[in-house]
């Protein structure tokens, strides 16, 4: 009996220690209280001007060889801008002057037929065209190498390997330069219905974000943002507490396949889309279905059909919703971030001109906006909008 009491006592101690360890581990991960902010919009809202250090409007040079149809992605690397439209990757300097088109379109080993995704790491730009990756130098645009690749959409680079997502099973995969899967980790934890092959509801832009030293992963269904380390492990870095606005497991579309019911059941729910800078985590608020009963949060972004966004201050450990301010930062909504404290967006020249002419007597616009719009013509390339956040 004495022995039995001793065993029970030891089990209780170990159990308490384990629970305490698990609790401490969760408490060490910052919690972004999005649901709480949405329930208390008045007290949780701040002007974007409280976070902005500077804002710039950068017209991209308009030439026949760099005519942009629609920007899909912007990467700022060592002061230069790399823009992806439907067909090519175009490089501009910090003032918007066109430098060159990266790579050549075609079916040859040094060419790419299309662009599914691209990333830049260590002076190399990697273009994923679906079944191969073609790398070019960011210094002079020269061809570097071609790598075999699985049929995957998203790609990034970590520890001399490519990182991607297998849409059929939700696994993060690590692929070497010979096209071999060297490791994988189950992130989504589900088996997809055969009715919907290749179906995964990705974030609006990147599944991967962060830096090459702190690469993070975001998909639509998990409330935890993970860092992918060099040992192919997932480390929790942020918990997105959506409260009443979180998508329940039972509502996930790949489980039911009922699009009509999904639209009806998700009208009051929020789809978070994260960006990260050195000091801030930016959470864009998207819809789940085609409709939403929620009012615009802060201000509405038509390009990506987003309801608004909020900023989590890492130093202050606080989350704020951001209000619209058409005078201080017209046509800015954060879509991409750099490895410092920069956020980027863009606007078509014709939209910028029309908005200015319609509202110039109504608003006291910021000087960078006024000086830029007066130099534009309606058929010019888009204008990049760059915000530096306060450190």
């Amino acid at each position: 009996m004495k022995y039995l009491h001793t065993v029970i006592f030891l089990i209780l101690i170990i159990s308490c220690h384990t629970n305490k360890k698990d609790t401490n581990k969760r408490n060490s991960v910052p919690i972004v209280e999005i649901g709480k902010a949405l329930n208390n919009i008045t007290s949780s809202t701040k002007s974007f001007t409280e976070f902005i250090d500077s804002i710039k409007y950068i017209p991209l040079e308009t030439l026949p060889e760099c005519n942009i149809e629609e920007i899909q992605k912007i990467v700022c690397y060592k002061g230069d801008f790399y823009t992806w439209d439907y067909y090519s990757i175009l490089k501009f300097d910090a003032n918007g002057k066109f430098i060159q088109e990266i790579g050549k379109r075609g079916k040859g080993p040094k060419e790419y037929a299309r662009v599914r995704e691209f990333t830049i790491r260590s002076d190399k730009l990697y273009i994923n065209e679906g079944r191969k990756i073609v790398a070019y130098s960011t210094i002079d645009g020269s061809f570097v190498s071609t790598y075999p690749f699985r049929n995957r959409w998203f790609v990034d680079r970590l520890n001399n390997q490519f990182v991607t997502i297998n849409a059929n099973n939700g696994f993060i995969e690590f692929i070497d330069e010979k096209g071999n899967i060297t490791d994988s980790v189950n992130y989504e934890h589900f088996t997809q219905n055969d009715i919907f092959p290749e179906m995964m509801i990705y974030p609006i832009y990147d599944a991967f974000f962060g830096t090459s030293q702190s690469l993070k992963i975001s998909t639509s269904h998990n409330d935890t943002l993970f860092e992918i380390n060099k040992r192919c492990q997932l480390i929790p870095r942020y918990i997105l507490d959506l409260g009443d606005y979180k998508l329940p497991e039972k509502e996930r579309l790949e489980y039911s396949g009922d699009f009509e019911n999904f639209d009806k059941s998700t009208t009051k729910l929020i789809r978070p889309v994260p960006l990260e800078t050195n000091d801030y985590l930016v959470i864009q608020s998207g819809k789940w279905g085609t409709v939403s009963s929620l009012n615009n949060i802060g201000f509405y972004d038509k390009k990506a059909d987003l309801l608004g966004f909020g900023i989590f201050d890492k130093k202050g450990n606080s989350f704020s919703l951001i209000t619209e301010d058409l005078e201080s930062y017209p046509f800015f909504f954060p879509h991409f971030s750099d490895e410092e404290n920069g956020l980027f967006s863009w606007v078509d020249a014709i939209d910028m001109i029309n908005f200015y002419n319609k509202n110039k007597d109504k608003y006291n616009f910021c000087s960078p906006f006024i000086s830029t719009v007066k130099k534009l013509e309606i058929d010019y390339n888009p204008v990049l909008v760059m915000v530096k956040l306060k450190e």
Side-chain angles (χ1 to χ4, degrees):
M1 180 65 73
K2 182 178 180 181
Y3 174 75
L4 179 61
H5 286 166
T6 303
V7 171
I8 294 174
F9 179 71
L10 288 173
I11 291 173
L12 288 173
I13 291 176
I14 292 171
S15 177
C16 290
H17 177 72
T18 302
N19 290 336
K20 184 177 181 181
K21 183 177 179 181
D22 291 342
T23 302
N24 289 339
K25 184 177 180 181
R26 179 177 175 86
N27 289 341
S28 67
V29 180
I31 299 176
V32 185
E33 296 182 328
I34 301 172
K36 183 178 179 180
L38 291 172
N39 287 333
N40 300 277
I41 291 180
T42 302
S43 60
S44 302
T45 299
K46 290 185 178 180
S47 170
F48 198 27
T49 54
E50 295 186 37
F51 297 91
I52 291 178
D53 178 69
S54 63
I55 185 168
K56 292 182 181 179
Y57 293 84
I58 306 170
L60 298 179
E61 186 175 16
T62 305
L63 298 169
E65 58 267 33
C66 64
N67 187 44
I68 296 175
E69 184 173 335
E70 182 178 348
I71 292 176
Q72 303 297 304
K73 182 176 180 177
I74 305 167
V75 173
C76 182
Y77 183 74
K78 293 187 175 180
D80 294 322
F81 295 104
Y82 296 80
T83 66
W84 164 30
D85 70 357
Y86 285 115
Y87 307 106
S88 57
I89 309 293
L90 304 173
K91 180 180 179 180
F92 298 84
D93 70 12
N95 297 313
K97 183 176 177 58
F98 177 64
I99 299 176
Q100 65 181 144
E101 180 178 349
I102 301 295
K104 183 180 179 181
R105 282 170 285 167
K107 297 183 179 181
K110 299 181 179 181
E111 302 169 334
Y112 59 91
R114 59 178 176 174
V115 181
R116 275 191 168 185
E117 178 61 284
F118 84 98
T119 189
I120 298 176
R121 302 296 181 200
S122 303
D123 294 336
K124 295 182 180 65
L125 187 149
Y126 299 92
I127 295 177
N128 173 24
E129 68 151 32
R131 297 186 182 274
K132 71 177 181 181
I133 288 177
V134 189
Y136 301 94
S137 167
T138 57
I139 298 172
D140 57 10
S142 61
F143 170 78
V144 175
S145 185
T146 297
Y147 308 96
F149 194 63
R150 306 294 174 114
N151 185 21
R152 306 285 188 264
W153 278 94
F154 291 99
V155 67
D156 215 301
R157 183 82 168 165
L158 182 67
N159 198 26
N160 296 322
Q161 293 190 93
F162 298 110
V163 186
T164 188
I165 295 180
N166 185 334
N168 290 321
N169 57 23
F171 275 68
I172 298 172
E173 296 175 336
F174 302 85
I175 300 178
D176 65 19
E177 295 181 349
K178 295 181 180 180
N180 301 314
I181 297 176
T182 62
D183 206 343
S184 64
V185 58
N186 191 344
Y187 179 68
E188 284 284 324
H189 304 288
F190 69 86
T191 302
Q192 286 197 302
N193 191 317
D194 292 337
I195 298 174
F196 299 98
E198 301 274 337
M199 190 191 80
M200 176 182 282
I201 304 177
Y202 288 112
I204 293 171
Y205 294 109
D206 289 335
F208 303 107
F209 65 102
T211 71
S212 56
Q213 289 73 40
S214 181
L215 187 63
K216 295 180 177 66
I217 171 72
S218 167
T219 64
S220 298
H221 304 306
N222 206 308
D223 62 357
T224 304
L225 304 182
F226 291 91
E227 180 179 326
I228 308 170
N229 68 14
K230 294 184 178 181
R231 290 180 290 174
C232 307
Q233 297 172 320
L234 298 181
I235 311 298
R237 290 301 184 215
Y238 302 99
I239 295 172
L240 306 184
D241 187 352
L242 290 165
D244 298 334
Y245 303 89
K246 179 182 177 180
L247 178 72
E249 285 286 313
K250 64 179 181 179
E251 300 295 348
R252 287 171 57 164
L253 183 58
E254 68 272 14
Y255 286 165
S256 67
D258 188 342
F259 287 88
E260 184 176 350
N261 181 66
F262 183 77
D263 277 347
K264 292 179 180 178
S265 62
T266 59
T267 57
K268 297 180 180 180
L269 306 179
I270 289 292
R271 177 185 180 189
V273 184
L275 296 171
E276 187 177 34
T277 71
N278 275 347
D279 299 317
Y280 304 97
L281 184 70
V282 178
I283 305 295
Q284 304 165 90
S285 300
K287 304 175 184 177
W288 274 109
T290 56
V291 296
S292 176
S293 63
L294 296 172
N295 293 323
N296 298 338
I297 304 164
F299 56 96
Y300 180 67
D301 177 65
K302 293 182 179 180
K303 287 194 291 291
D305 204 17
L306 291 165
L307 299 170
F309 73 98
I311 292 182
F312 179 73
D313 185 340
K314 298 179 189 178
K315 296 177 181 177
N317 203 38
S318 61
F319 178 75
S320 303
L321 298 171
I322 302 302
T323 60
E324 183 177 52
D325 187 339
L326 296 176
E327 293 184 335
S328 302
Y329 44 92
F331 283 107
F332 180 78
F333 195 101
H335 291 300
F336 306 102
S337 59
D338 62 14
E339 297 193 4
E340 296 179 1
N341 265 340
L343 296 172
F344 305 91
S345 186
W346 76 94
V347 54
D348 290 329
I350 187 172
D351 291 338
M352 194 167 172
I353 293 169
N354 289 340
F355 180 78
Y356 173 74
N357 289 334
K358 182 179 179 180
N359 296 286
K360 60 184 177 182
D361 296 327
K362 178 180 179 182
Y363 294 127
N364 182 25
F365 290 120
C366 61
S367 57
F369 179 80
I370 295 174
S371 61
T372 301
V373 73
K374 288 184 175 180
K375 300 174 184 177
L376 295 178
E377 300 291 340
I378 59 173
D379 57 348
Y380 277 12
N381 265 338
V383 177
L384 298 188
V385 190
M386 181 177 73
V387 161
K388 284 292 182 183
L389 299 175
K390 294 178 180 178
E391 296 183 359

